[in-house]
Amino acid sequence: MAPQDDNLDVVEEAMVAEVEKKPVSTIVIIIAMQTEALPLVSKFQLVEDHDSVFPKGVPWVRYHGTYKDLFINIIWPGKDAILGVDSVGTVSASLVTYASIQALKPDLIINAGTAGGFKAKGANIGDVVVVSDVAFHDRRIPIPVFDQYGIGTRRTLLTPKLVKDLDLKVGKLSTGDSLDMSPQDEGAINANDATVKDMEGAAVAYVADLLSVPAIFIKAVTDIVDGDKPTAEEFLQNLVAVTAALDQAVTKAVDFISGKCLSEL
């Protein structure tokens, strides 16, 4: 008789194979900023959920509706209740990802957003990058094994057909809770071999992985981190134009996903 653990492995592999053959039906799109979210809300003709599936009192906003054969949910963490700015960063991203998975049971998560890019890795303003791997660059724990936990490297869902069809770049993403880049962050980002850096992706990936939900990451470059211009200035200067490129890429990705199962992406 085979050991029980082996039997469980066989069952899990069969379940994964079955999921991969099932057409994607429900998608959750996690977007950190309202500026990034609203054009897609309009494109997909979504409506805001006023009878929220989320806990009472949180600022998180859900837009939902049907597009082609997909049930689409765009989740925006909302505005900070005191300061009135977008609730960016890993904490809000983790919370809304967890709550969205629990409430909506998605087949697929898409984390879409803007990011800083590195010219040393070939990134240019307006590039849209599909992420192959994610990691953190500001969780420094200089103790054996804990150091690797802090970095939290993960592979994303591989989508070679989608990448080819949309003709997008592929690169690695490094995530941290600061817009700027300290010398310590720079060393970690280089070690992560990142083409782009953001403030949410690896946190979304952690929760998605924890709850066994496939996730893809689409990032558009607003600023060149290793360039000559101040990051904040370049980010604000390019945000609107680059968001248009991001929204176009996400729309094309959703169009491509429609009617397909995960193994066909």
Side-chain angles (χ1 to χ4, degrees), residues 22-38:
K22 175 186 173 185
V24 175
S25 176
T26 300
I27 296 178
V28 163
I29 304 176
I30 306 288
I31 302 183
M33 300 185 71
Q34 187 178 38
T35 301
E36 301 164 342
L38 290 183

Side-chain angles (χ1 to χ4, degrees), residues 55-67:
K56 184 178 180 180
V58 299
W60 312 335
V61 179
R62 171 187 173 231
Y63 302 97
H64 63 97
T66 301
Y67 177 76

Side-chain angles (χ1 to χ4, degrees), residues 40-189:
L40 285 172
V41 171
S42 176
K43 171 63 181 179
F44 297 135
Q45 297 184 331
L46 308 181
V47 296
E48 185 174 345
D49 183 7
H50 295 290
D51 185 17
S52 180
V53 297
F54 298 132
K56 184 178 180 180
V58 299
W60 312 335
V61 179
R62 171 187 173 231
Y63 302 97
H64 63 97
T66 301
Y67 177 76
K68 296 189 174 181
D69 57 352
L70 297 169
F71 182 49
I72 295 181
N73 303 268
I74 289 181
I75 311 298
W76 165 53
K79 301 278 189 181
D80 181 85
I82 297 173
L83 300 175
V85 296
D86 289 294
S87 300
V88 300
T90 60
V91 175
S92 289
S94 296
L95 287 169
V96 298
T97 302
Y98 176 81
S100 298
I101 292 173
Q102 292 295 97
L104 303 170
K105 313 297 183 189
D107 302 306
L108 178 68
I109 288 173
I110 299 175
N111 175 220
T114 53
F118 294 89
K119 64 180 181 181
K121 301 296 290 185
N124 301 296
I125 300 294
D127 281 351
V128 179
V129 178
V130 175
V131 174
S132 61
D133 303 78
V134 300
F136 293 97
H137 58 253
D138 62 353
R139 303 201 312 178
R140 293 178 285 276
I141 312 174
I143 301 172
V145 186
F146 280 98
D147 54 356
Q148 296 303 308
Y149 167 78
I151 296 167
T153 302
R154 284 176 173 80
R155 298 298 307 272
T156 68
L157 176 68
L158 296 177
T159 56
K161 296 174 185 176
L162 182 149
V163 168
K164 183 178 179 180
D165 187 80
L166 273 60
D167 191 25
L168 298 176
K169 292 185 175 182
V170 176
K172 296 180 180 180
L173 170 69
S174 194
T175 295
D177 270 307
S178 297
L179 183 65
D180 66 359
M181 182 174 67
S182 71
Q184 293 93 335
D185 289 347
E186 183 176 9
I189 291 167

